[in-house]
Amino acid sequence: VLCTVYCVQMIHDMKFQLAGMLCHAGLLSSNSPADPSSNIYSTNDRLVSAILTAGLYPRVAKVTCMRRKPMIKTEKHKRCSFHPASIAADKNEFPTQFAIYNNMTKLATGNTIFDATFVTPFSLLFFGGQVALEKVKGEKDKVVTIDNWIQFNAPETTAQQVLELRHQLDNVLWQLYQE
């Protein structure tokens, strides 16, 4: 019970610290996370997904096999699974094939991920790692890669547009950071 109380208090303190920092930066009008104005986007799942991707990247897992139990891989671990206590462990259908996670635990059965949030490919493309284009031999499509391991096939025009949008987004975020 002590650990639970300690953890809850730590999360509470971190929430107020983050709200204070966001308020100081001018991103929130109040330093209280309970203020309704601080939570106006909390029901926007895609925005929350993008923010989690930006904050937790490069901790990305890709679902590679969905037979009886999902098998997942990360950039460093080619074979992982969801922790048996995770709500994703017994599922075999997911909203996307990519998840952002916070912690990986090594069990006797291998590396497991407990806390996972499924994110869209767009969240990864715009808020993940280094994006590059590769030509596929004999194909009109391009492969958009993130950090040389996450790959998406796209028509050349779409791939170029994604790369340009990512570049523009990086510039806008950099300018906001400098202000």
Side-chain angles (χ1 to χ4, degrees):
V1 174
L2 179 61
C3 178
T4 304
V5 171
Y6 172 76
C7 291
V8 169
Q9 183 63 46
M10 185 174 69
I11 291 169
H12 177 269
D13 294 346
M14 288 171 47
K15 188 165 69 169
F16 273 87
Q17 182 182 11
L18 178 61
M21 291 167 55
L22 292 172
C23 182
H24 180 73
L27 297 172
L28 291 180
S29 59
S30 169
N31 64 357
S32 170
D35 187 316
S37 68
S38 299
N39 294 297
I40 59 175
Y41 298 109
S42 63
T43 58
N44 185 332
D45 293 341
R46 291 181 185 210
L47 178 61
V48 172
S49 170
I51 292 168
L52 286 171
T53 301
L56 292 173
Y57 193 88
R59 287 174 254 168
V60 178
K62 181 179 179 184
V63 178
T64 57
C65 177
M66 292 191 278
R67 291 184 193 149
R68 293 187 335 180
K69 283 191 172 184
M71 293 302 297
I72 57 178
K73 67 178 181 176
T74 67
E75 185 176 19
K76 294 180 182 177
H77 300 92
K78 298 303 175 200
R79 187 174 176 157
C80 305
S81 61
F82 289 112
H83 189 280
S86 170
I87 61 170
D90 294 329
K91 297 187 180 208
N92 59 7
E93 289 186 27
F94 302 100
T96 72
Q97 65 183 30
F98 298 100
I100 292 288
Y101 64 92
N102 190 35
N103 291 312
M104 181 177 289
T105 306
K106 185 157 182 106
L107 298 179
T109 56
N111 293 311
T112 63
I113 294 171
F114 183 79
D115 51 349
T117 300
F118 285 86
V119 296
T120 66
F122 288 116
S123 292
L124 291 169
L125 286 166
F126 294 120
F127 299 101
Q130 189 70 32
V131 178
L133 295 181
E134 296 177 9
K135 179 93 171 116
V136 179
K137 283 187 176 180
E139 297 286 328
K140 292 181 182 178
D141 288 356
K142 292 268 189 168
V143 175
V144 182
T145 63
I146 304 171
D147 290 339
N148 297 315
W149 83 276
I150 300 172
Q151 298 181 338
F152 301 101
N153 292 335
E156 186 170 356
T157 307
T158 303
Q160 292 289 348
Q161 290 172 338
V162 166
L163 203 61
E164 180 60 27
L165 281 170
R166 171 64 188 265
H167 178 71
Q168 293 297 327
L169 180 61
D170 286 347
N171 286 339
V172 168
L173 292 174
W174 180 249
Q175 289 172 355
L176 287 172
Y177 172 74
Q178 288 182 321
E179 293 174 4

